[in-house]
Amino acid sequence: MTLSSDIQRLIERLNQELDNIEREATEKLPQANRLLSRFPGNARLTQLLATLNNTILFINTSRRFIQMTVEELAPDDVTSEEVQEAGEELSTLEGRIIEIKTLVSSTISALERLQ
């Protein structure tokens, strides 16, 4: 089955957001590591670094989920209910991605204040 244009647009949006978040998080990882090496044992820095690392893990997991969803929708015998369910799951993922985007933004702001 060909993906509906709505689901294709949603997947493109999700992937674009994941790319942006990944770029921001990966750019700040070295900075967080440098700060933590200067102040070892600093609980706040450890938390900020963990947030960035967990974000990368979330991004990789989300990409795998999106890919699995696309593969599940590929067969010709996919029902409209399965397509609707996949769309709902992807929309739920979109909400989580927005939350992660906000978290990464606040993490980056906190790191910048610490410099």
Side-chain angles (χ1 to χ4, degrees):
M1 171 180 207
T2 304
L3 292 177
S4 74
S5 59
D6 289 340
I7 289 183
Q8 284 178 341
R9 280 192 302 273
L10 177 57
I11 289 171
E12 288 171 12
R13 225 176 25 248
L14 296 177
N15 283 322
Q16 184 176 21
E17 285 295 340
L18 290 171
D19 289 345
N20 291 337
I21 295 166
E22 181 181 39
R23 180 184 42 74
E24 291 176 354
T26 352
E27 285 176 2
K28 292 301 176 178
L29 275 171
Q31 177 185 355
N33 279 315
R34 276 191 308 275
L35 283 169
L36 191 58
S37 70
R38 285 180 35 208
F39 305 103
N42 183 301
R44 180 67 176 141
L45 286 172
T46 301
Q47 179 186 27
L48 295 173
L49 181 61
T51 298
L52 294 176
N53 282 320
N54 287 338
T55 296
I56 302 300
L57 178 61
F58 171 81
I59 289 167
N60 292 333
T61 303
S62 297
R63 285 187 175 136
R64 281 193 298 274
F65 176 79
I66 292 168
Q67 184 59 40
M68 287 172 29
T69 302
V70 168
E71 290 169 5
E72 288 173 3
L73 295 176
D76 290 334
D77 61 346
V78 173
T79 66
S80 59
E81 291 82 19
E82 290 170 319
V83 172
Q84 181 176 347
E85 184 178 329
E88 290 170 3
E89 289 173 352
L90 290 169
S91 293
T92 299
L93 177 61
E94 183 177 33
R96 290 194 301 259
I97 290 172
I98 291 168
E99 291 172 7
I100 292 295
K101 182 179 181 178
T102 302
L103 178 63
V104 167
S105 179
S106 65
T107 299
I108 289 171
S109 294
L111 281 170
E112 290 173 354
R113 285 191 304 271
L114 293 172
Q115 282 207 8

